Amino acid sequence: MARPTATPDAALRRGPVTSEKPARKRRLETRVASVKKLKITKAPAKPLSDTRSAELAAEFVDHDVASVYKVIHKTTGALGGNAAGGAIYGEITRNSMGKILEYMQEHCELGRDSVFLDIGSGLGKPNFHASITPGVAISYGIELEDQRWQLSLSNLQGVLKTSALYPKVNPVIFTQGDITDALSLEPFSHVYSFDVGFPPAVMAHVAECFNESVSARYFISFHQPRKVLEQYGFEVDEIGRLGTSMAGSSEGHTVYFYRKTALPTRTKETKEKKVDPLFGAGFHVVQQGHDAVLSWVEAQFSQRFSQGRTRRQVQLAKAATPSSLREKKLETFYKVVRRGPASVKAK
């Protein structure tokens, strides 16, 4: 059956077809107008609590410390020291070093005004750690072995050339030297050492310097109180101890914290802090800032590679050397086996 078609009269009775879009637009405009009439009140921002602020600050510090260790691992490896032919070498883990520094802040007055010394600094990790948290005034490391000292300079260069760490690290310096050449431990306030393998004579000399130094107040060692007080002669009292873990090993050592029993009286001539001659060159450089330290490190590398001579000096020395010494035939270095006539004919 066919569907009836609408007549023109019916279409006129229904009226024109209107779109729903204008109605939607009107509703939207009504809602916008109602929202504008509302008074939006901005609540004041609540400040963070002291506990939360401390937690955030600690997280930022941990990130900076981890970044420094990452640069060191990239530069000289996760565990190093080149101990072949040298004294015993060991590294405690980053977490253990963090616990040591936290204990020193709580019980040993370690702070931003402290001057930190690491005897046998190796790759320099404790010095870098202390320069960030708590951010000591100067972090100084002295190392006997030449190879380890060179590695610490490479780490120092890598850290200071990292733009994100340049403003975070407080003054750090590493020098090579024998601690038995020191006359005192001025002007260090805190003396740290992984001294597990130190000879008794070295420990006795460190004790003598520590006892006579006015600035030296705390000594952090891995030797038991019986040795430190009775055998080596440190004038200190034990104030605490912690267990530590070794990097790359399941071995662990106990670290002991000592406080000097009585400070020596400061005479009129020694009212100002003096720097022992063994540390004088390092202090002269580190007090000038990071840029001076970087220039000094680069000078140490260039001096080592060129053996202390400039390019002009090398050229003059080469010109002054007789040609007979400069131009040698291969036979002077290696024994050359020549074939005889018989062997040539046989071939």
Side-chain angles (χ1 to χ4, degrees):
M1 183 176 181
R3 185 177 180 181
T5 59
T7 61
D9 295 338
L12 291 174
R13 285 196 299 269
R14 287 198 303 266
V17 179
T18 59
S19 175
E20 295 182 358
K21 187 174 181 180
R24 292 178 180 177
K25 187 175 182 180
R26 286 195 299 270
R27 288 196 297 268
L28 180 61
E29 291 176 352
T30 304
R31 292 177 182 176
V32 171
S34 61
V35 170
K36 289 182 178 180
K37 292 180 181 179
L38 295 176
K39 294 182 179 180
I40 301 176
T41 58
K42 296 182 179 180
K46 295 182 179 180
L48 295 175
S49 62
D50 295 340
T51 303
R52 182 54 182 164
S53 299
E55 291 176 354
L56 288 176
E59 290 179 3
F60 282 114
V61 170
D62 290 341
H63 178 269
D64 295 336
V65 172
S67 300
V68 168
Y69 276 77
K70 185 177 180 180
V71 173
I72 295 175
H73 294 173
K74 183 179 179 180
T75 305
T76 56
L79 182 65
N82 285 350
I88 187 173
Y89 182 79
E91 292 180 2
I92 62 175
T93 62
R94 175 164 61 96
N95 292 334
S96 294
M97 192 64 212
K99 293 179 181 179
I100 291 175
L101 293 174
E102 288 178 2
Y103 188 93
M104 293 176 66
Q105 293 179 63
E106 295 178 4
H107 305 281
C108 303
E109 302 176 296
L110 184 70
R112 303 188 69 85
D113 296 331
S114 303
V115 184
F116 180 85
L117 171 65
D118 183 5
I119 301 176
S121 52
L123 300 184
K125 293 179 181 179
N127 290 100
F128 286 116
H129 207 138
S131 69
I132 296 179
T133 174
V136 295
I138 293 178
S139 186
Y140 197 111
I142 185 169
E143 174 59 45
L144 177 64
E145 297 296 328
D146 179 71
Q147 290 182 343
R148 298 174 190 170
W149 174 59
Q150 293 290 331
L151 291 174
S152 68
L153 292 185
S154 298
N155 290 332
L156 181 57
Q157 186 181 50
V159 170
L160 294 183
K161 283 191 173 182
T162 304
S163 58
L165 296 175
Y166 184 93
K168 304 291 183 64
V169 178
N170 276 15
V172 183
I173 192 71
F174 302 106
T175 58
Q176 183 186 18
D178 190 345
I179 194 61
T180 58
D181 294 333
L183 303 177
S184 68
L185 296 181
E186 298 288 355
F188 301 104
S189 58
H190 297 74
V191 180
Y192 168 86
S193 179
F194 184 79
D195 49 9
V196 174
F198 282 20
V202 175
M203 294 299 300
H205 182 80
V206 173
E208 182 180 355
C209 294
F210 181 85
N211 296 337
E212 295 297 329
S213 299
V214 179
S215 300
R217 179 66 172 164
Y218 294 93
F219 179 57
I220 294 84
S221 170
F222 287 79
H223 283 298
Q224 299 178 1
R226 180 179 57 82
K227 286 187 175 182
V228 171
L229 276 68
E230 299 176 7
Q231 183 176 352
Y232 304 141
F234 282 87
E235 297 175 358
V236 294
D237 291 328
E238 182 191 356
I239 59 177
R241 61 182 68 180
L242 288 175
T244 63
S245 301
M246 300 297 297
S249 172
S250 59
E251 184 181 0
H253 292 279
T254 302
V255 59
Y256 301 87
F257 302 86
Y258 300 98
R259 182 193 293 118
K260 183 177 289 185
T261 54
L263 292 176
T265 57
R266 190 184 292 271
T267 61
K268 294 182 179 180
E269 292 79 7
T270 60
K271 282 187 177 181
E272 296 183 359
K273 289 185 178 181
K274 293 185 178 181
V275 180
D276 188 86
L278 181 62
F279 314 108
F283 267 90
H284 177 73
V285 175
V286 74
Q287 290 175 341
Q288 300 179 39
H290 288 341
D291 292 338
V293 172
L294 277 174
S295 300
W296 177 79
V297 170
E298 293 174 357
Q300 296 298 318
F301 287 149
S302 61
Q303 181 180 2
R304 181 179 180 85
F305 294 146
S306 64
Q307 298 181 353
R309 297 185 296 180
T310 63
R311 181 181 299 179
R312 179 61 177 168
Q313 290 173 335
V314 173
Q315 292 176 351
L316 292 175
K318 185 176 181 180
T321 304
S323 59
S324 60
L325 297 179
R326 287 188 283 111
E327 299 176 0
K328 293 185 178 181
K329 296 182 179 181
L330 183 63
E331 290 83 349
T332 60
F333 298 98
Y334 301 98
K335 183 178 180 180
V336 179
V337 179
R338 300 185 183 278
R339 294 177 179 175
S343 60
V344 174
K345 291 181 180 179
K347 187 176 180 181

